[in-house]
PDB file of all heavy atoms in Angstrom:
ATOM      1  N   SER A   5      58.200 158.044 152.798  1.00  0.00           N
ATOM      2  CA  SER A   5      59.356 157.710 151.966  1.00  0.00           C
ATOM      3  C   SER A   5      59.726 156.245 152.139  1.00  0.00           C
ATOM      4  O   SER A   5      59.497 155.664 153.197  1.00  0.00           O
ATOM      5  CB  SER A   5      60.553 158.574 152.350  1.00  0.00           C
ATOM      6  OG  SER A   5      60.292 159.921 152.083  1.00  0.00           O
ATOM      7  N   GLU A   6      60.308 155.702 151.094  1.00  0.00           N
ATOM      8  CA  GLU A   6      60.752 154.303 151.127  1.00  0.00           C
ATOM      9  C   GLU A   6      61.942 154.175 150.194  1.00  0.00           C
ATOM     10  O   GLU A   6      61.955 154.775 149.118  1.00  0.00           O
ATOM     11  CB  GLU A   6      59.619 153.392 150.653  1.00  0.00           C
ATOM     12  CG  GLU A   6      59.936 151.926 150.693  1.00  0.00           C
ATOM     13  CD  GLU A   6      59.937 151.379 152.112  1.00  0.00           C
ATOM     14  OE1 GLU A   6      58.929 151.545 152.807  1.00  0.00           O
ATOM     15  OE2 GLU A   6      60.963 150.792 152.507  1.00  0.00           O
ATOM     16  N   LYS A   7      62.927 153.410 150.612  1.00  0.00           N
ATOM     17  CA  LYS A   7      64.038 153.098 149.707  1.00  0.00           C
ATOM     18  C   LYS A   7      63.676 151.851 148.927  1.00  0.00           C
ATOM     19  O   LYS A   7      63.126 150.901 149.476  1.00  0.00           O
ATOM     20  CB  LYS A   7      65.331 152.853 150.497  1.00  0.00           C
ATOM     21  CG  LYS A   7      66.153 154.085 150.660  1.00  0.00           C
ATOM     22  CD  LYS A   7      67.556 153.753 151.067  1.00  0.00           C
ATOM     23  CE  LYS A   7      68.431 154.943 150.753  1.00  0.00           C
ATOM     24  NZ  LYS A   7      69.819 154.687 151.059  1.00  0.00           N
ATOM     25  N   ILE A   8      63.982 151.877 147.630  1.00  0.00           N
ATOM     26  CA  ILE A   8      63.791 150.683 146.803  1.00  0.00           C
ATOM     27  C   ILE A   8      65.130 150.310 146.174  1.00  0.00           C
ATOM     28  O   ILE A   8      65.997 151.159 145.974  1.00  0.00           O
ATOM     29  CB  ILE A   8      62.701 150.859 145.717  1.00  0.00           C
ATOM     30  CG1 ILE A   8      63.122 151.904 144.670  1.00  0.00           C
ATOM     31  CG2 ILE A   8      61.360 151.193 146.342  1.00  0.00           C
ATOM     32  CD1 ILE A   8      62.231 151.926 143.443  1.00  0.00           C
ATOM     33  N   LEU A   9      65.267 149.054 145.868  1.00  0.00           N
ATOM     34  CA  LEU A   9      66.483 148.539 145.247  1.00  0.00           C
ATOM     35  C   LEU A   9      66.277 148.462 143.736  1.00  0.00           C
ATOM     36  O   LEU A   9      65.209 148.067 143.275  1.00  0.00           O
ATOM     37  CB  LEU A   9      66.782 147.147 145.812  1.00  0.00           C
ATOM     38  CG  LEU A   9      68.043 146.475 145.294  1.00  0.00           C
ATOM     39  CD1 LEU A   9      68.747 145.772 146.451  1.00  0.00           C
ATOM     40  CD2 LEU A   9      67.714 145.475 144.208  1.00  0.00           C
ATOM     41  N   VAL A  10      67.310 148.853 143.010  1.00  0.00           N
ATOM     42  CA  VAL A  10      67.276 148.784 141.542  1.00  0.00           C
ATOM     43  C   VAL A  10      68.529 148.042 141.096  1.00  0.00           C
ATOM     44  O   VAL A  10      69.645 148.396 141.479  1.00  0.00           O
ATOM     45  CB  VAL A  10      67.253 150.201 140.924  1.00  0.00           C
ATOM     46  CG1 VAL A  10      67.136 150.116 139.410  1.00  0.00           C
ATOM     47  CG2 VAL A  10      66.131 151.038 141.513  1.00  0.00           C
ATOM     48  N   ARG A  11      68.350 146.983 140.321  1.00  0.00           N
ATOM     49  CA  ARG A  11      69.469 146.216 139.761  1.00  0.00           C
ATOM     50  C   ARG A  11      69.402 146.384 138.247  1.00  0.00           C
ATOM     51  O   ARG A  11      68.378 146.117 137.621  1.00  0.00           O
ATOM     52  CB  ARG A  11      69.348 144.744 140.153  1.00  0.00           C
ATOM     53  CG  ARG A  11      70.505 143.883 139.654  1.00  0.00           C
ATOM     54  CD  ARG A  11      70.351 142.424 140.097  1.00  0.00           C
ATOM     55  NE  ARG A  11      70.384 142.262 141.531  1.00  0.00           N
ATOM     56  CZ  ARG A  11      71.497 142.210 142.267  1.00  0.00           C
ATOM     57  NH1 ARG A  11      72.675 142.309 141.673  1.00  0.00           N
ATOM     58  NH2 ARG A  11      71.436 142.064 143.572  1.00  0.00           N
ATOM     59  N   TYR A  12      70.509 146.836 137.642  1.00  0.00           N
ATOM     60  CA  TYR A  12      70.507 147.077 136.197  1.00  0.00           C
ATOM     61  C   TYR A  12      71.939 147.083 135.667  1.00  0.00           C
ATOM     62  O   TYR A  12      72.893 147.198 136.431  1.00  0.00           O
ATOM     63  CB  TYR A  12      69.816 148.407 135.864  1.00  0.00           C
ATOM     64  CG  TYR A  12      70.433 149.605 136.554  1.00  0.00           C
ATOM     65  CD1 TYR A  12      71.399 150.373 135.923  1.00  0.00           C
ATOM     66  CD2 TYR A  12      70.043 149.967 137.835  1.00  0.00           C
ATOM     67  CE1 TYR A  12      71.971 151.465 136.550  1.00  0.00           C
ATOM     68  CE2 TYR A  12      70.610 151.067 138.473  1.00  0.00           C
ATOM     69  CZ  TYR A  12      71.571 151.805 137.831  1.00  0.00           C
ATOM     70  OH  TYR A  12      72.144 152.879 138.452  1.00  0.00           O
ATOM     71  N   TYR A  13      72.062 146.983 134.352  1.00  0.00           N
ATOM     72  CA  TYR A  13      73.369 147.082 133.715  1.00  0.00           C
ATOM     73  C   TYR A  13      73.711 148.556 133.565  1.00  0.00           C
ATOM     74  O   TYR A  13      72.926 149.347 133.053  1.00  0.00           O
ATOM     75  CB  TYR A  13      73.387 146.401 132.344  1.00  0.00           C
ATOM     76  CG  TYR A  13      74.766 146.443 131.728  1.00  0.00           C
ATOM     77  CD1 TYR A  13      75.728 145.513 132.092  1.00  0.00           C
ATOM     78  CD2 TYR A  13      75.121 147.443 130.829  1.00  0.00           C
ATOM     79  CE1 TYR A  13      77.018 145.567 131.559  1.00  0.00           C
ATOM     80  CE2 TYR A  13      76.401 147.517 130.296  1.00  0.00           C
ATOM     81  CZ  TYR A  13      77.340 146.569 130.664  1.00  0.00           C
ATOM     82  OH  TYR A  13      78.615 146.634 130.158  1.00  0.00           O
ATOM     83  N   SER A  14      74.899 148.947 134.010  1.00  0.00           N
ATOM     84  CA  SER A  14      75.360 150.326 133.910  1.00  0.00           C
ATOM     85  C   SER A  14      76.417 150.442 132.820  1.00  0.00           C
ATOM     86  O   SER A  14      77.440 149.759 132.867  1.00  0.00           O
ATOM     87  CB  SER A  14      75.956 150.767 135.255  1.00  0.00           C
ATOM     88  OG  SER A  14      76.689 151.956 135.079  1.00  0.00           O
ATOM     89  N   ASP A  15      76.168 151.327 131.861  1.00  0.00           N
ATOM     90  CA  ASP A  15      77.168 151.600 130.830  1.00  0.00           C
ATOM     91  C   ASP A  15      78.380 152.311 131.428  1.00  0.00           C
ATOM     92  O   ASP A  15      79.492 152.183 130.919  1.00  0.00           O
ATOM     93  CB  ASP A  15      76.569 152.455 129.714  1.00  0.00           C
ATOM     94  CG  ASP A  15      75.584 151.669 128.866  1.00  0.00           C
ATOM     95  OD1 ASP A  15      75.708 150.431 128.785  1.00  0.00           O
ATOM     96  OD2 ASP A  15      74.667 152.294 128.288  1.00  0.00           O
ATOM     97  N   VAL A  16      78.178 153.077 132.500  1.00  0.00           N
ATOM     98  CA  VAL A  16      79.289 153.781 133.149  1.00  0.00           C
ATOM     99  C   VAL A  16      80.251 152.780 133.770  1.00  0.00           C
ATOM    100  O   VAL A  16      81.463 152.849 133.589  1.00  0.00           O
ATOM    101  CB  VAL A  16      78.771 154.755 134.229  1.00  0.00           C
ATOM    102  CG1 VAL A  16      79.920 155.328 135.043  1.00  0.00           C
ATOM    103  CG2 VAL A  16      77.972 155.878 133.590  1.00  0.00           C
ATOM    104  N   LEU A  17      79.694 151.839 134.514  1.00  0.00           N
ATOM    105  CA  LEU A  17      80.521 150.854 135.205  1.00  0.00           C
ATOM    106  C   LEU A  17      80.837 149.631 134.346  1.00  0.00           C
ATOM    107  O   LEU A  17      81.699 148.830 134.690  1.00  0.00           O
ATOM    108  CB  LEU A  17      79.825 150.396 136.494  1.00  0.00           C
ATOM    109  CG  LEU A  17      79.541 151.498 137.510  1.00  0.00           C
ATOM    110  CD1 LEU A  17      78.714 150.950 138.660  1.00  0.00           C
ATOM    111  CD2 LEU A  17      80.831 152.123 138.011  1.00  0.00           C
ATOM    112  N   GLU A  18      80.094 149.477 133.259  1.00  0.00           N
ATOM    113  CA  GLU A  18      80.199 148.327 132.356  1.00  0.00           C
ATOM    114  C   GLU A  18      79.990 147.010 133.098  1.00  0.00           C
ATOM    115  O   GLU A  18      80.693 146.023 132.880  1.00  0.00           O
ATOM    116  CB  GLU A  18      81.540 148.333 131.608  1.00  0.00           C
ATOM    117  CG  GLU A  18      81.679 149.545 130.706  1.00  0.00           C
ATOM    118  CD  GLU A  18      82.976 149.571 129.930  1.00  0.00           C
ATOM    119  OE1 GLU A  18      83.968 148.925 130.339  1.00  0.00           O
ATOM    120  OE2 GLU A  18      83.001 150.256 128.887  1.00  0.00           O
ATOM    121  N   GLU A  19      78.990 147.027 133.986  1.00  0.00           N
ATOM    122  CA  GLU A  19      78.622 145.830 134.737  1.00  0.00           C
ATOM    123  C   GLU A  19      77.237 146.031 135.354  1.00  0.00           C
ATOM    124  O   GLU A  19      76.736 147.148 135.419  1.00  0.00           O
ATOM    125  CB  GLU A  19      79.636 145.541 135.847  1.00  0.00           C
ATOM    126  CG  GLU A  19      79.707 146.612 136.897  1.00  0.00           C
ATOM    127  CD  GLU A  19      80.795 146.372 137.947  1.00  0.00           C
ATOM    128  OE1 GLU A  19      81.816 145.728 137.626  1.00  0.00           O
ATOM    129  OE2 GLU A  19      80.621 146.838 139.069  1.00  0.00           O
ATOM    130  N   THR A  20      76.663 144.932 135.784  1.00  0.00           N
ATOM    131  CA  THR A  20      75.406 145.016 136.508  1.00  0.00           C
ATOM    132  C   THR A  20      75.685 145.617 137.871  1.00  0.00           C
ATOM    133  O   THR A  20      76.649 145.250 138.542  1.00  0.00           O
ATOM    134  CB  THR A  20      74.759 143.622 136.645  1.00  0.00           C
ATOM    135  OG1 THR A  20      74.500 143.125 135.328  1.00  0.00           O
ATOM    136  CG2 THR A  20      73.468 143.691 137.420  1.00  0.00           C
ATOM    137  N   THR A  21      74.863 146.569 138.249  1.00  0.00           N
ATOM    138  CA  THR A  21      75.051 147.256 139.517  1.00  0.00           C
ATOM    139  C   THR A  21      73.751 147.291 140.299  1.00  0.00           C
ATOM    140  O   THR A  21      72.679 147.088 139.743  1.00  0.00           O
ATOM    141  CB  THR A  21      75.587 148.688 139.292  1.00  0.00           C
ATOM    142  OG1 THR A  21      75.951 149.255 140.537  1.00  0.00           O
ATOM    143  CG2 THR A  21      74.561 149.568 138.616  1.00  0.00           C
ATOM    144  N   VAL A  22      73.878 147.542 141.581  1.00  0.00           N
ATOM    145  CA  VAL A  22      72.724 147.679 142.463  1.00  0.00           C
ATOM    146  C   VAL A  22      72.790 149.067 143.077  1.00  0.00           C
ATOM    147  O   VAL A  22      73.847 149.516 143.513  1.00  0.00           O
ATOM    148  CB  VAL A  22      72.737 146.607 143.572  1.00  0.00           C
ATOM    149  CG1 VAL A  22      71.630 146.862 144.579  1.00  0.00           C
ATOM    150  CG2 VAL A  22      72.607 145.219 142.973  1.00  0.00           C
ATOM    151  N   GLU A  23      71.649 149.734 143.076  1.00  0.00           N
ATOM    152  CA  GLU A  23      71.549 151.064 143.650  1.00  0.00           C
ATOM    153  C   GLU A  23      70.265 151.107 144.466  1.00  0.00           C
ATOM    154  O   GLU A  23      69.269 150.499 144.079  1.00  0.00           O
ATOM    155  CB  GLU A  23      71.502 152.075 142.499  1.00  0.00           C
ATOM    156  CG  GLU A  23      71.554 153.494 142.883  1.00  0.00           C
ATOM    157  CD  GLU A  23      71.706 154.430 141.678  1.00  0.00           C
ATOM    158  OE1 GLU A  23      71.871 153.972 140.533  1.00  0.00           O
ATOM    159  OE2 GLU A  23      71.650 155.639 141.920  1.00  0.00           O
ATOM    160  N   THR A  24      70.290 151.766 145.602  1.00  0.00           N
ATOM    161  CA  THR A  24      69.048 151.993 146.333  1.00  0.00           C
ATOM    162  C   THR A  24      68.698 153.467 146.191  1.00  0.00           C
ATOM    163  O   THR A  24      69.569 154.341 146.265  1.00  0.00           O
ATOM    164  CB  THR A  24      69.155 151.609 147.825  1.00  0.00           C
ATOM    165  OG1 THR A  24      70.232 152.303 148.423  1.00  0.00           O
ATOM    166  CG2 THR A  24      69.335 150.106 147.975  1.00  0.00           C
ATOM    167  N   LEU A  25      67.427 153.714 145.941  1.00  0.00           N
ATOM    168  CA  LEU A  25      66.957 155.072 145.691  1.00  0.00           C
ATOM    169  C   LEU A  25      65.813 155.409 146.632  1.00  0.00           C
ATOM    170  O   LEU A  25      64.957 154.563 146.913  1.00  0.00           O
ATOM    171  CB  LEU A  25      66.458 155.205 144.246  1.00  0.00           C
ATOM    172  CG  LEU A  25      67.476 154.948 143.145  1.00  0.00           C
ATOM    173  CD1 LEU A  25      66.792 154.877 141.800  1.00  0.00           C
ATOM    174  CD2 LEU A  25      68.528 156.038 143.138  1.00  0.00           C
ATOM    175  N   TRP A  26      65.793 156.656 147.082  1.00  0.00           N
ATOM    176  CA  TRP A  26      64.657 157.121 147.866  1.00  0.00           C
ATOM    177  C   TRP A  26      63.467 157.342 146.944  1.00  0.00           C
ATOM    178  O   TRP A  26      63.635 157.801 145.801  1.00  0.00           O
ATOM    179  CB  TRP A  26      64.988 158.424 148.590  1.00  0.00           C
ATOM    180  CG  TRP A  26      65.799 158.214 149.811  1.00  0.00           C
ATOM    181  CD1 TRP A  26      67.120 158.518 149.988  1.00  0.00           C
ATOM    182  CD2 TRP A  26      65.362 157.628 151.038  1.00  0.00           C
ATOM    183  NE1 TRP A  26      67.528 158.163 151.246  1.00  0.00           N
ATOM    184  CE2 TRP A  26      66.459 157.611 151.920  1.00  0.00           C
ATOM    185  CE3 TRP A  26      64.146 157.105 151.487  1.00  0.00           C
ATOM    186  CZ2 TRP A  26      66.384 157.110 153.213  1.00  0.00           C
ATOM    187  CZ3 TRP A  26      64.071 156.603 152.783  1.00  0.00           C
ATOM    188  CH2 TRP A  26      65.170 156.610 153.630  1.00  0.00           C
ATOM    189  N   THR A  27      62.308 157.010 147.452  1.00  0.00           N
ATOM    190  CA  THR A  27      61.073 157.226 146.709  1.00  0.00           C
ATOM    191  C   THR A  27      60.024 157.811 147.634  1.00  0.00           C
ATOM    192  O   THR A  27      60.106 157.695 148.859  1.00  0.00           O
ATOM    193  CB  THR A  27      60.500 155.910 146.136  1.00  0.00           C
ATOM    194  OG1 THR A  27      60.125 155.053 147.219  1.00  0.00           O
ATOM    195  CG2 THR A  27      61.481 155.216 145.221  1.00  0.00           C
ATOM    196  N   GLU A  28      59.042 158.429 147.027  1.00  0.00           N
ATOM    197  CA  GLU A  28      57.830 158.841 147.731  1.00  0.00           C
ATOM    198  C   GLU A  28      56.811 157.741 147.483  1.00  0.00           C
ATOM    199  O   GLU A  28      56.615 157.322 146.330  1.00  0.00           O
ATOM    200  CB  GLU A  28      57.327 160.166 147.160  1.00  0.00           C
ATOM    201  CG  GLU A  28      56.008 160.626 147.711  1.00  0.00           C
ATOM    202  CD  GLU A  28      55.446 161.834 146.980  1.00  0.00           C
ATOM    203  OE1 GLU A  28      56.228 162.577 146.344  1.00  0.00           O
ATOM    204  OE2 GLU A  28      54.222 162.018 147.036  1.00  0.00           O
ATOM    205  N   ILE A  29      56.184 157.257 148.539  1.00  0.00           N
ATOM    206  CA  ILE A  29      55.171 156.213 148.383  1.00  0.00           C
ATOM    207  C   ILE A  29      53.922 156.846 147.776  1.00  0.00           C
ATOM    208  O   ILE A  29      53.353 157.781 148.338  1.00  0.00           O
ATOM    209  CB  ILE A  29      54.829 155.556 149.737  1.00  0.00           C
ATOM    210  CG1 ILE A  29      56.070 154.911 150.345  1.00  0.00           C
ATOM    211  CG2 ILE A  29      53.694 154.542 149.562  1.00  0.00           C
ATOM    212  CD1 ILE A  29      55.907 154.499 151.808  1.00  0.00           C
ATOM    213  N   ILE A  30      53.510 156.333 146.628  1.00  0.00           N
ATOM    214  CA  ILE A  30      52.285 156.802 145.966  1.00  0.00           C
ATOM    215  C   ILE A  30      51.110 155.929 146.395  1.00  0.00           C
ATOM    216  O   ILE A  30      50.089 156.419 146.844  1.00  0.00           O
ATOM    217  CB  ILE A  30      52.432 156.785 144.420  1.00  0.00           C
ATOM    218  CG1 ILE A  30      53.601 157.671 143.973  1.00  0.00           C
ATOM    219  CG2 ILE A  30      51.131 157.182 143.736  1.00  0.00           C
ATOM    220  CD1 ILE A  30      53.461 159.133 144.305  1.00  0.00           C
ATOM    221  N   ASP A  31      51.253 154.620 146.235  1.00  0.00           N
ATOM    222  CA  ASP A  31      50.219 153.659 146.642  1.00  0.00           C
ATOM    223  C   ASP A  31      50.924 152.346 146.984  1.00  0.00           C
ATOM    224  O   ASP A  31      51.258 151.562 146.089  1.00  0.00           O
ATOM    225  CB  ASP A  31      49.205 153.460 145.518  1.00  0.00           C
ATOM    226  CG  ASP A  31      48.016 152.599 145.924  1.00  0.00           C
ATOM    227  OD1 ASP A  31      48.181 151.705 146.793  1.00  0.00           O
ATOM    228  OD2 ASP A  31      46.922 152.824 145.374  1.00  0.00           O
ATOM    229  N   ILE A  32      51.137 152.134 148.266  1.00  0.00           N
ATOM    230  CA  ILE A  32      51.899 150.963 148.702  1.00  0.00           C
ATOM    231  C   ILE A  32      51.198 149.659 148.339  1.00  0.00           C
ATOM    232  O   ILE A  32      51.849 148.662 148.031  1.00  0.00           O
ATOM    233  CB  ILE A  32      52.239 151.051 150.207  1.00  0.00           C
ATOM    234  CG1 ILE A  32      53.464 150.195 150.519  1.00  0.00           C
ATOM    235  CG2 ILE A  32      51.040 150.712 151.071  1.00  0.00           C
ATOM    236  CD1 ILE A  32      54.129 150.543 151.822  1.00  0.00           C
ATOM    237  N   GLN A  33      49.865 149.665 148.337  1.00  0.00           N
ATOM    238  CA  GLN A  33      49.106 148.455 147.991  1.00  0.00           C
ATOM    239  C   GLN A  33      49.311 148.066 146.526  1.00  0.00           C
ATOM    240  O   GLN A  33      49.366 146.884 146.198  1.00  0.00           O
ATOM    241  CB  GLN A  33      47.602 148.644 148.277  1.00  0.00           C
ATOM    242  CG  GLN A  33      47.283 149.002 149.716  1.00  0.00           C
ATOM    243  CD  GLN A  33      47.767 147.971 150.722  1.00  0.00           C
ATOM    244  OE1 GLN A  33      47.831 146.788 150.433  1.00  0.00           O
ATOM    245  NE2 GLN A  33      48.153 148.437 151.908  1.00  0.00           N
ATOM    246  N   LYS A  34      49.436 149.052 145.677  1.00  0.00           N
ATOM    247  CA  LYS A  34      49.638 148.800 144.246  1.00  0.00           C
ATOM    248  C   LYS A  34      51.118 148.756 143.875  1.00  0.00           C
ATOM    249  O   LYS A  34      51.468 148.524 142.727  1.00  0.00           O
ATOM    250  CB  LYS A  34      48.940 149.877 143.413  1.00  0.00           C
ATOM    251  CG  LYS A  34      47.426 149.823 143.517  1.00  0.00           C
ATOM    252  CD  LYS A  34      46.791 150.886 142.659  1.00  0.00           C
ATOM    253  CE  LYS A  34      45.269 150.827 142.770  1.00  0.00           C
ATOM    254  NZ  LYS A  34      44.632 151.897 141.988  1.00  0.00           N
ATOM    255  N   GLY A  35      52.000 149.027 144.852  1.00  0.00           N
ATOM    256  CA  GLY A  35      53.437 149.003 144.595  1.00  0.00           C
ATOM    257  C   GLY A  35      53.928 150.185 143.792  1.00  0.00           C
ATOM    258  O   GLY A  35      54.907 150.072 143.060  1.00  0.00           O
ATOM    259  N   LEU A  36      53.284 151.343 143.950  1.00  0.00           N
ATOM    260  CA  LEU A  36      53.648 152.520 143.166  1.00  0.00           C
ATOM    261  C   LEU A  36      54.483 153.492 144.000  1.00  0.00           C
ATOM    262  O   LEU A  36      54.094 153.880 145.106  1.00  0.00           O
ATOM    263  CB  LEU A  36      52.394 153.223 142.655  1.00  0.00           C
ATOM    264  CG  LEU A  36      51.503 152.394 141.735  1.00  0.00           C
ATOM    265  CD1 LEU A  36      50.272 153.192 141.332  1.00  0.00           C
ATOM    266  CD2 LEU A  36      52.268 151.908 140.513  1.00  0.00           C
ATOM    267  N   TYR A  37      55.622 153.877 143.432  1.00  0.00           N
ATOM    268  CA  TYR A  37      56.572 154.752 144.108  1.00  0.00           C
ATOM    269  C   TYR A  37      57.072 155.793 143.117  1.00  0.00           C
ATOM    270  O   TYR A  37      57.321 155.488 141.950  1.00  0.00           O
ATOM    271  CB  TYR A  37      57.770 153.947 144.620  1.00  0.00           C
ATOM    272  CG  TYR A  37      57.384 152.852 145.590  1.00  0.00           C
ATOM    273  CD1 TYR A  37      56.994 151.596 145.133  1.00  0.00           C
ATOM    274  CD2 TYR A  37      57.416 153.079 146.958  1.00  0.00           C
ATOM    275  CE1 TYR A  37      56.640 150.584 146.022  1.00  0.00           C
ATOM    276  CE2 TYR A  37      57.063 152.070 147.857  1.00  0.00           C
ATOM    277  CZ  TYR A  37      56.677 150.836 147.383  1.00  0.00           C
ATOM    278  OH  TYR A  37      56.324 149.843 148.268  1.00  0.00           O
ATOM    279  N   LYS A  38      57.285 157.010 143.610  1.00  0.00           N
ATOM    280  CA  LYS A  38      57.821 158.088 142.783  1.00  0.00           C
ATOM    281  C   LYS A  38      59.294 158.272 143.134  1.00  0.00           C
ATOM    282  O   LYS A  38      59.633 158.524 144.293  1.00  0.00           O
ATOM    283  CB  LYS A  38      57.051 159.384 143.039  1.00  0.00           C
ATOM    284  CG  LYS A  38      57.478 160.548 142.184  1.00  0.00           C
ATOM    285  CD  LYS A  38      56.592 161.747 142.503  1.00  0.00           C
ATOM    286  CE  LYS A  38      56.945 162.928 141.644  1.00  0.00           C
ATOM    287  NZ  LYS A  38      56.050 164.063 141.965  1.00  0.00           N
ATOM    288  N   ILE A  39      60.167 158.152 142.158  1.00  0.00           N
ATOM    289  CA  ILE A  39      61.609 158.279 142.385  1.00  0.00           C
ATOM    290  C   ILE A  39      61.912 159.684 142.912  1.00  0.00           C
ATOM    291  O   ILE A  39      61.487 160.679 142.336  1.00  0.00           O
ATOM    292  CB  ILE A  39      62.405 157.999 141.083  1.00  0.00           C
ATOM    293  CG1 ILE A  39      62.093 156.596 140.537  1.00  0.00           C
ATOM    294  CG2 ILE A  39      63.906 158.188 141.310  1.00  0.00           C
ATOM    295  CD1 ILE A  39      62.467 155.455 141.452  1.00  0.00           C
ATOM    296  N   ASP A  40      62.667 159.735 144.025  1.00  0.00           N
ATOM    297  CA  ASP A  40      62.867 160.994 144.730  1.00  0.00           C
ATOM    298  C   ASP A  40      64.335 161.438 144.764  1.00  0.00           C
ATOM    299  O   ASP A  40      64.677 162.387 145.451  1.00  0.00           O
ATOM    300  CB  ASP A  40      62.316 160.866 146.154  1.00  0.00           C
ATOM    301  CG  ASP A  40      61.948 162.203 146.761  1.00  0.00           C
ATOM    302  OD1 ASP A  40      61.724 163.162 146.001  1.00  0.00           O
ATOM    303  OD2 ASP A  40      61.890 162.287 148.009  1.00  0.00           O
TER     304      ASP A  40
END
Side-chain angles (χ1 to χ4, degrees):
S5 296
E6 182 74 55
K7 268 197 161 183
I8 66 169
L9 181 139
V10 183
R11 182 179 297 278
Y12 57 94
Y13 183 82
S14 166
D15 289 334
V16 171
L17 300 174
E18 297 181 338
E19 63 184 29
T20 299
T21 189
V22 173
E23 187 172 355
T24 56
L25 299 170
W26 281 108
T27 65
E28 174 188 337
I29 300 168
I30 301 298
D31 187 330
I32 203 162
Q33 302 301 329
K34 293 181 180 177
L36 299 178
Y37 301 86
K38 183 178 182 179
I39 302 298
D40 204 22

